[in-house]
Amino acid sequence: MARPTGPRSWATSRLFAAVILLDLAVCEGFVEDLNESFKDNRKDDIWLVDFYAPWCGHCKKLEPIWNEVGLEMKSIGSPVKVGKMDATSYSSIASEFGVRGYPTIKLLKGDLAYNYRGPRTKDDIIEFAHRVSGALIRPLPSQQMFDHVQKRHRVFFVYIGGESPLKEKYIDAASELIVYTYFFSASEDVVPEYVTLKEMPAVLVFKDNTYFVYDEYEDGDLSSWVSRERFQNYLTMDGFLLYELGDTGKLVAIAVIDEKNTSLEHTRLKSVIQEVARDFRDHFHSIVFFLFSLLLVSYRNFQFGHMDGNDYINTLLMDELTVPTIVVLNTSNQQYFLLDRHIKDASDMVQFINSILDGTVPAQGGDSILQRLKRIMFDAKSTIVSIFKSSPLLGCFLFGLPLGVISIMCYGIYTADTEGGYIEERYEVSKSEMENQEQIEERKEQESISGESLVPTMQEPKDVLEKKKD
């Protein structure tokens, strides 16, 4: 079918553009531009603020998403107000809130400021605002409410019991980690019947269709345990998640595959990791080995997942991994372990993990000084290569111009030294010539003086002779 042309199609295009501009204007209307008065007036409300810089590319990419966040929060009647502030124009206010990069998203609630560190999507940002703006610990008064929460949230924590030192620790952990997950409290009769508690009070995490109970002796600090357990056991990995997992100290087993490749080997390795994560956690939790300088680590401190493509993992390991494969990362010291065998099924994967834990599989990488120097050189090389690949002319300008300036400076220094020696030599020569010339002139003057004195003495006898003749 031919594309319609003429006045009608032109008018339709104009109308379509006008509708888009109107939608953008409506979205922007629910995001307030903040100025210096915000500092004094903000404490009366809860604010979700985007601190941006006008020249920042990531900030420009976030802008339409941020406008959608403002519209959504307004439409659902949220008490959270959405705003944005040019951190370059109001740098003192931005510094007061600890803004060090752009864009920075913060929820401001009274005297508290919570940083958002999740994916920059509308749904994730709105979920963060709902979680942090509400009560720190939310009560679950009934089983119906508990079932509703369990259906809505993939991971959440529950304190069961009355007042106790454990509850105080739970409140402290919630204050620190509310930006990541939800915290609830309930009585023992509210939790499902399948939950078995050996003692009260207790802290539980519900995830992966099961639950786990915090054990102070085995799990250590409660906040650290919550930080480790806030992830589902199996995840689709990316750079952001690996960065977040870096604070947990977990061992992360990743199937590096190409999701567009439907061959048996790619799907099989992914299925193996999923099976291990699903069926072997209780087995892992019951086995403890010495690992890395006599550090006690259990299988429960493993994280499982898959990653699409090897670009990021190659950069992280400074190595070239062949896809598909499996790699195990130690987030506590930047070491990693590569396969030393063919993985046929989940039992082979379990044996590979056992070999890592008992030290049979050698660790690679790490955070030694040599590895840090290697990282600096690798990052520099990667940056240069990426610049030349994306824009050869820009690469030539960025690296050719400094090299040209340095070359000119070196040439100038070299030629300056050469000419200086030549001038100095010429000066020495001219100085000697001047001395010789002065000596010659002195001799001439002396000769002229002696000549004048000899003339009268030669004429005197002649005058005397003439007088004698007269």
Side-chain angles (χ1 to χ4, degrees):
M1 180 181 290
R3 185 178 179 180
T5 58
R8 180 175 296 179
S9 63
W10 180 79
T12 303
S13 301
R14 290 287 300 273
L15 179 61
F16 181 71
V19 170
I20 293 177
L21 292 175
L22 181 61
D23 289 342
L24 291 175
V26 170
C27 291
E28 290 180 359
F30 296 109
V31 177
E32 297 189 30
D33 277 307
L34 306 176
N35 52 34
E36 64 274 358
S37 64
F38 173 72
K39 179 180 178 180
D40 300 324
N41 301 330
R42 71 173 184 84
K43 292 186 177 181
D44 296 332
D45 298 293
I46 301 174
W47 282 92
L48 184 65
V49 182
D50 169 29
F51 294 91
Y52 70 95
W55 44 262
C56 171
H58 294 292
C59 301
K60 294 177 182 178
K61 187 177 180 180
L62 176 64
E63 185 176 4
I65 299 173
W66 197 250
N67 291 333
E68 292 178 4
V69 170
L71 177 61
E72 181 76 11
M73 298 294 280
K74 189 70 175 180
S75 63
I76 63 178
S78 173
V80 179
K81 293 186 175 182
V82 182
K84 60 181 181 179
M85 174 176 286
D86 184 351
T88 60
S89 299
Y90 305 103
S91 56
S92 59
I93 299 178
S95 298
E96 183 177 337
F97 289 118
V99 176
R100 298 178 181 176
Y102 311 112
T104 295
I105 298 173
K106 287 180 176 285
L107 188 135
L108 308 176
K109 182 180 176 182
D111 294 326
L112 302 175
Y114 298 94
N115 286 330
Y116 176 69
R117 298 175 181 175
R120 295 180 186 137
T121 64
K122 183 190 77 170
D123 293 339
D124 287 309
I125 294 172
I126 291 175
E127 176 72 13
F128 164 79
H130 288 331
R131 182 171 63 250
V132 178
S133 63
L136 185 65
I137 297 175
R138 308 174 188 223
L140 296 176
S142 64
Q143 292 183 356
Q144 291 79 6
M145 182 63 71
F146 188 97
D147 293 339
H148 173 73
V149 168
Q150 196 167 22
K151 292 177 181 178
R152 182 177 179 183
H153 303 299
R154 296 177 179 177
V155 180
F156 64 96
F157 294 83
V158 181
Y159 173 82
I160 301 174
E163 298 296 327
S164 68
L166 180 61
K167 186 174 183 179
E168 295 179 2
K169 295 178 181 179
Y170 185 71
I171 294 173
D172 292 339
S175 301
E176 178 185 353
L177 300 169
I178 187 66
V179 294
Y180 299 115
T181 189
Y182 283 90
F183 294 86
F184 297 91
S185 63
S187 58
E188 188 176 5
D189 58 345
V190 169
V191 298
E193 295 181 357
Y194 63 82
V195 174
T196 303
L197 298 176
K198 296 180 180 179
E199 57 183 6
M200 296 280 290
V203 176
L204 292 77
V205 57
F206 290 84
K207 64 178 182 178
D208 301 324
N209 298 320
T210 186
Y211 71 96
F212 302 95
V213 183
Y214 167 70
D215 186 317
E216 185 173 6
Y217 175 77
E218 182 179 344
D219 298 317
D221 178 66
L222 178 60
S223 294
S224 300
W225 178 78
V226 171
S227 182
R228 292 193 304 269
E229 295 293 340
R230 63 187 176 90
F231 300 96
Q232 289 180 277
N233 206 28
Y234 184 90
L235 297 166
T236 300
M237 298 291 177
D238 56 17
F240 172 78
L241 265 178
L242 287 178
Y243 176 79
E244 290 292 310
L245 287 167
D247 296 331
T248 67
K250 286 187 173 184
L251 295 172
V252 186
I254 306 173
V256 184
I257 62 173
D258 182 1
E259 291 191 325
K260 296 179 181 179
N261 192 324
T262 58
S263 65
L264 178 61
E265 187 66 12
H266 288 259
T267 57
R268 186 181 61 80
L269 286 182
K270 180 179 177 181
S271 299
V272 166
I273 294 292
Q274 288 176 330
E275 183 180 352
V276 172
R278 182 183 65 249
D279 299 338
F280 285 82
R281 170 157 177 158
D282 291 337
H283 168 69
F284 293 163
H285 183 47
S286 64
I287 304 176
V288 180
F289 297 91
F290 279 102
L291 176 65
F292 308 125
S293 301
L294 302 179
L295 173 66
L296 278 172
V297 176
S298 71
Y299 273 70
R300 190 171 176 180
N301 288 328
F302 265 85
Q303 185 73 46
F304 301 91
H306 76 273
M307 176 175 285
D308 183 19
N310 61 350
D311 291 339
Y312 182 84
I313 205 73
N314 284 345
T315 302
L316 186 66
L317 305 184
M318 297 182 288
D319 199 353
E320 290 289 334
L321 296 185
T322 303
V323 177
T325 188
I326 292 176
V327 60
V328 177
L329 306 178
N330 186 343
T331 58
S332 64
N333 60 9
Q334 301 180 21
Q335 290 182 340
Y336 63 95
F337 305 87
L338 300 178
L339 287 178
D340 62 347
R341 70 200 70 192
H342 180 66
I343 302 296
K344 296 180 180 179
D345 50 30
S347 60
D348 287 340
M349 187 64 201
V350 172
Q351 291 178 6
F352 176 60
I353 293 175
N354 287 339
S355 299
I356 292 175
L357 293 174
D358 62 22
T360 305
V361 179
Q364 303 184 45
D367 55 359
S368 63
I369 296 177
L370 182 61
Q371 286 294 323
R372 293 177 185 178
L373 293 175
K374 184 180 177 182
R375 167 62 63 184
I376 293 173
M377 295 176 63
F378 179 85
D379 289 342
K381 177 184 176 182
S382 300
T383 302
I384 294 173
V385 171
S386 63
I387 290 175
F388 274 98
K389 283 185 176 180
S390 60
S391 179
L393 293 178
L394 178 62
C396 293
F397 176 77
L398 291 177
F399 296 99
L401 182 62
L403 290 175
V405 172
I406 294 173
S407 300
I408 293 172
M409 292 175 62
C410 293
Y411 177 77
I413 293 172
Y414 174 76
T415 54
D417 290 342
T418 304
E419 291 178 357
Y422 176 67
I423 292 171
E424 184 178 355
E425 183 179 355
R426 284 178 51 193
Y427 174 75
E428 294 293 338
V429 172
S430 60
K431 184 177 180 181
S432 61
E433 289 179 351
M434 289 177 64
E435 291 177 352
N436 293 335
Q437 187 68 25
E438 289 177 355
Q439 292 177 358
I440 294 172
E441 290 179 356
E442 288 179 357
R443 289 177 182 175
K444 288 182 178 180
E445 289 178 359
Q446 290 177 358
E447 289 177 357
S448 63
I449 293 172
S450 61
E452 290 178 358
S453 62
L454 289 172
V455 170
T457 56
M458 292 296 290
Q459 291 179 352
E460 185 177 359
K462 185 177 179 181
D463 294 339
V464 173
L465 291 173
E466 290 178 353
K467 289 181 179 180
K468 287 182 177 180
K469 287 181 180 180
D470 295 338

